[in-house]
């Protein structure tokens, strides 16, 4: 074991003791059974929807138990850090209604800092303590030595790692280690694994129940190279120290960390900490033909959280969907009910849930339909101002028309039409209400007029425009729906069309066609589409002048 003076010389002289950190980061005063959870991403890229899923589950478990949810950014791997990623985590979580109680870009909370790069002294204190207790040691092996050992291990089909005869610094004489550190030779600090020949370890996972796996037998690195200006700990060590000092009681994380649990349990024991409970979430899956695969950041655009923001899925609907992935019982209840219901770990399966965008569309459609016109307008405008500025500018100027558009064909107090499943669909479904977005109507020879002769299309458009201009009831906005559609039927009859569908079906040879063909001409001229909200409601919302402009443009 290294002499204490040698160990102390490896660290700053004013470094606090572990007991000092215990006093600073005191146990939390929370009700019995309250869980402290954390979401701890690394700022090495864009936030994956699987990360948002993990955060949603962890946050729900904390809040429903009366506990606390923490955002901690694990930025000790500076070589892979993406600039601005840590700030993005805070923005994205807030955008989906999943803001943490502590941590994030603001760093609010008494158990911070919440960036690991700002907690260096905390980790150094605990590395020094492990060296003092001979549970860690300096390792002077350079990259070439480690690469040669790995090649030898591969050739002999041995596990890759630093252990046994491939761990020469583990048995280095204390005097030799002291001489080399005093000489300024670069080193890392390694954990002294308690087992030369590891057996099996058993622990309880809150989702998978009892788990048995191979225990860790590797002397992992705890502190990176002493040559660095500010040596930082490795992920494994830093997160164990932080989970303890932030008083995390339940670690919710992805299944990819399940294999690391044995080493984490060893580190907790070596440091004298009681480990938290663990719950490992199965990865989100994607259907590919008859099989499934993990959702891929590289292949699947829907793997990125930004995809859902840009597409305009309402945050509440996304939250609902993520809870439904965790507990299938929540998928088919109303959003408000799903968000109020508890998430249960015993309701989760160890197999990965399928990311099913059609189901998200369905939930999103139902949620949007449940909004009042004012709520819908407010959420739509907020999205458009960030992701479709042209639409946002139009909506801000034309609030009355926007409200009339979303209320078109909707009786007073009735739910909205279920034709929006994302805010990005609004321009396509309702953009025709706004002259700034609609542009010129389709020309008379456009296929959307159902194959009618262009001359007939122009005639129908022109005659209805004349009716609109001449009849103060129809064009002035005081007509009832029956009067308005009556004028349209009269126009159809003048062109040789049946007055109603039933008449046409009884004697199709007598008529040029059903009246819907004439109505379709007016519909396409006013909306640019063959399907739309109620045509009478559309005309009322557009107003006399805009209706005349569009019909006249088609009439030529």
């Amino acid at each position: 074991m290294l002499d204490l003076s040698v160990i102390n010389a490896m660290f700053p002289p004013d470094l606090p003791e572990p007991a000092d950190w215990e006093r600073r980061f005191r146990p939390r005063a929370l009700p019995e059974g309250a869980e402290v959870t954390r979401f701890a991403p690394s700022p090495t890229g864009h936030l994956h929807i699987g990360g948002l899923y993990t955060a949603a589950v962890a946050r729900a478990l904390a809040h429903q138990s009366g506990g606390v949810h923490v955002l901690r950014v694990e930025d000790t791997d500076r070589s892979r850090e993406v600039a601005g990623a840590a700030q993005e985590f805070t923005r994205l979580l807030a955008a989906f209604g999943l803001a943490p109680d502590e941590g994030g870009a603001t760093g609010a909370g008494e158990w911070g800092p919440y960036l690991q790069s700002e907690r260096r002294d905390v980790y150094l204190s605990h590395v020094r303590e492990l060296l003092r207790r001979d549970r860690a040691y300096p390792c002077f092996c350079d990259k070439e030595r480690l690469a040669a050992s790995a090649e030898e291990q591969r050739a002999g089909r041995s596990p890759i790692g630093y252990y046994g005869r491939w761990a020469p610094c583990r048995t280095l004489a204390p005097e030799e280690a002291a001489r080399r550190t005093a000489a300024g030779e670069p080193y890392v600090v390694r954990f002294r694994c308690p087992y030369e020949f590891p057996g099996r370890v058993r622990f309880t996972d809150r989702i998978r129940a009892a788990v048995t796996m191979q225990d860790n037998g590797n002397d992992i690195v705890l502190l990176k190279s002493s040559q660095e200006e500010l040596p930082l700990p490795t992920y494994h060590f830093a997160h164990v120290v932080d989970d303890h000092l932030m008083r995390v009681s339940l670690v919710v994380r992805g299944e990819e960390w399940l294999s690391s649990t044995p080493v984490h349990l060893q580190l907790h024991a070596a440091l004298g900490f009681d480990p938290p409970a663990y719950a490992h979430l199965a990865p989100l899956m994607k259907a590919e033909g008859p099989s499934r695969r993990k959702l891929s950041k590289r292949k699947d655009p829907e793997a990125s959280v930004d995809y859902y923001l840009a597409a305009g899925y309402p945050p509440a609907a996304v939250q609902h969907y993520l809870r439904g992935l965790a507990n299938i019982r929540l998928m088919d209840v109303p959003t408000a009910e799903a968000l109020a219901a508890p998430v249960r770990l015993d309701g989760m399966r160890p197999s990965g849930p399928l990311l099913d965008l059609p189901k998200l569309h369905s939930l999103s459609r139902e949620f949007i339909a449940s909004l009042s016109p004012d709520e819908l307008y407010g959420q739509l405008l907020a999205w458009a101002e960030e992701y479709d500025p042209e639409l946002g500018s139009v909506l801000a100027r034309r609030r009355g028309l926007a409200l009339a558009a979303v209320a078109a064909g909707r009786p007073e107090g009735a739910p909205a039409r279920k034709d929006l499943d994302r805010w990005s669909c609004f321009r396509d479904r309702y953009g025709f209400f706004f002259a700034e977005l609609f542009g010129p109507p389709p020309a008379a020879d456009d296929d959307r007029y159902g194959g009618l002769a262009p001359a007939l299309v122009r005639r129908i458009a022109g005659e209805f425009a004349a009716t609109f201009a001449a009849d103060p009831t129809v064009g002035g906005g005081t007509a009832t729906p029956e009067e308005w559609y009556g004028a349209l039927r009269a126009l159809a009859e003048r062109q040789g069309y049946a007055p109603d569908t039933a008449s046409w079906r009884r004697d199709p040879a007598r008529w040029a066609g059903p009246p819907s063909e004439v109505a379709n001409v007016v519909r396409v001229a006013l909306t640019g589409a063959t399907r739309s909200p109620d045509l009478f409601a559309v005309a009322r919302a557009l107003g006399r002048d805009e209706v005349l402009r569009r019909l006249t443009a088609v009439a030529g």
Side-chain angles (χ1 to χ4, degrees):
M1 176 178 167
L2 283 173
D3 187 90
L4 286 180
S5 62
V6 174
I7 295 172
N8 291 338
M10 296 165 64
F11 296 89
D14 56 349
L15 190 66
E17 295 294 329
D20 297 323
W21 300 118
E22 291 288 340
R23 285 189 290 272
R24 175 174 170 181
F25 302 118
R26 64 194 182 283
R28 296 172 182 267
L30 293 172
E32 185 176 354
E35 300 283 16
V36 178
T37 65
R38 46 77 160 175
F39 177 51
S42 298
T44 54
H46 298 296
L47 183 60
H48 189 282
I49 187 62
L52 196 69
Y53 171 57
T54 301
V57 172
R59 184 177 184 272
L61 292 168
H63 285 187
Q64 70 198 30
S65 67
V68 175
H69 179 59
V70 176
L71 171 59
R72 183 177 74 227
V73 179
E74 302 195 334
D75 61 342
T76 59
D77 190 351
R78 310 311 293 272
S79 64
R80 297 175 59 218
E81 184 172 348
V82 174
Q87 291 71 28
E88 278 293 279
F89 297 146
T90 299
R91 180 185 71 84
L92 292 171
L93 291 172
F96 285 98
L98 297 171
D101 303 307
E102 294 176 11
T106 63
E110 297 179 38
W111 282 261
Y114 297 92
L115 288 176
Q116 287 189 331
S117 58
E118 297 177 3
R119 297 173 65 86
R120 178 172 170 267
D121 283 356
V122 178
Y123 311 127
L124 293 183
S125 295
H126 290 85
V127 171
R128 183 180 63 187
E129 182 65 16
L130 290 181
L131 284 165
R132 288 170 173 174
R133 291 162 45 201
D134 203 29
R135 298 303 304 271
Y137 60 90
C139 171
F140 303 91
C141 294
D142 58 21
K143 292 181 179 179
E144 290 73 20
R145 174 64 183 267
L146 296 174
S149 293
E151 186 61 33
E152 186 179 346
Q153 288 166 343
R154 276 190 288 270
R157 298 186 178 182
S158 298
I160 305 296
Y162 198 88
Y163 61 94
R165 64 188 179 91
W166 293 289
C169 292
R170 180 183 174 106
T171 54
L172 199 64
E175 298 76 18
E176 176 66 6
R179 182 190 66 77
R180 294 172 75 168
T181 57
E185 189 172 336
Y187 63 89
V188 298
V189 176
R190 289 185 179 274
F191 176 56
R192 190 182 297 279
C193 178
Y195 309 114
E196 185 175 355
F197 300 104
R200 310 290 282 177
V201 61
R202 294 174 178 82
F203 59 91
T204 299
D205 183 279
R206 293 277 296 274
I207 295 172
R208 300 156 195 277
V211 176
T212 301
M213 47 195 314
Q214 179 79 24
D215 207 347
N216 171 60
N218 191 18
D219 286 2
I220 66 165
V221 175
L222 303 180
L223 191 66
K224 299 173 188 178
S225 175
S226 59
Q227 291 296 95
E228 296 181 11
E229 184 179 353
L230 295 172
L232 286 170
T234 56
Y235 160 80
H236 293 294
F237 186 70
H239 101 274
V240 164
V241 172
D242 286 342
D243 281 346
H244 171 70
L245 291 177
M246 291 181 182
R247 310 301 173 176
V248 173
S249 61
L250 172 61
V251 171
V252 180
R253 61 187 183 184
E255 182 184 71
E256 66 271 19
W257 296 110
L258 183 62
S259 61
S260 299
T261 306
V263 73
H264 298 162
L265 292 174
Q266 284 184 6
L267 289 172
H268 277 289
L271 290 162
F273 301 158
D274 291 328
Y278 289 98
H280 291 90
L281 305 180
L284 299 181
M285 309 295 284
K286 180 173 181 175
E288 195 165 67
S291 60
R292 292 183 173 197
R293 61 169 173 80
K294 289 183 182 179
L295 199 64
S296 164
K297 277 187 178 181
R298 185 171 52 86
K299 291 182 178 180
D300 306 313
E302 66 270 30
S304 170
V305 169
D306 280 309
Y307 168 87
Y308 299 87
L309 286 177
Y313 292 97
V318 175
Q319 271 203 61
H320 181 179
Y321 183 65
L322 295 175
R323 282 172 168 249
L325 290 177
N327 288 173
I328 192 66
R329 65 189 172 85
L330 300 178
M331 194 67 87
D332 294 318
V333 301
T335 296
E337 184 179 331
L339 297 185
V343 171
R344 297 203 312 255
L345 288 175
D346 61 5
M348 301 183 72
R349 293 171 293 182
S351 57
L354 184 68
L355 190 72
D356 177 16
L357 287 184
K359 183 61 181 178
L360 175 56
H361 293 166
S362 176
L363 292 178
S364 184
R365 188 181 300 114
E366 292 291 334
F367 174 76
I368 292 174
S370 74
L371 298 174
S372 70
D374 282 332
E375 290 171 330
L376 192 154
Y377 171 78
Q379 293 193 28
L380 170 65
L381 178 62
W383 173 84
E385 286 179 333
E386 182 166 359
Y387 292 97
D388 189 346
E390 182 189 25
L391 174 60
S393 176
V394 171
L395 290 171
R397 295 194 313 270
R398 309 285 297 277
R399 182 178 185 275
L401 181 55
L403 290 172
V406 298
R410 171 187 180 186
E412 189 70 29
R417 291 166 54 87
K418 295 182 180 181
D419 55 0
L420 281 180
D421 53 28
R422 288 155 288 171
W423 300 130
S424 58
C425 295
F426 181 87
R427 180 189 276 265
D428 179 56
R429 308 280 166 79
Y430 290 93
F432 67 83
F433 279 96
F434 307 92
E436 304 95 317
L437 304 176
F438 183 65
D445 58 356
D446 193 284
D447 290 342
R448 281 170 282 185
Y449 291 110
L452 298 185
L456 178 57
V457 171
R458 285 192 287 269
R459 188 164 66 248
I460 291 171
E463 289 199 20
F464 202 59
T467 300
F468 233 77
D471 189 327
T473 300
V474 174
T478 59
T480 64
E482 292 75 18
E483 291 170 332
W484 196 90
Y485 282 112
L488 194 56
R489 282 193 296 273
L491 169 62
E493 288 187 76
R494 289 196 300 272
Q495 306 303 321
Y497 284 81
D500 53 61
T501 303
S503 298
W504 174 71
R505 284 177 176 167
R506 283 195 300 269
D507 190 3
R510 179 181 173 184
W511 310 102
S516 59
E517 292 185 4
V518 175
N520 183 63
V521 172
V522 176
R523 187 184 308 278
V524 173
L526 297 186
T527 71
T530 57
R531 299 181 64 184
S532 76
D534 178 75
L535 197 52
F536 168 71
V538 167
R540 285 186 62 181
L542 291 175
R544 180 178 184 274
D545 292 346
E546 184 62 17
V547 169
L548 286 174
R549 183 188 76 81
R550 297 184 187 191
L551 290 172
T552 302
V554 175

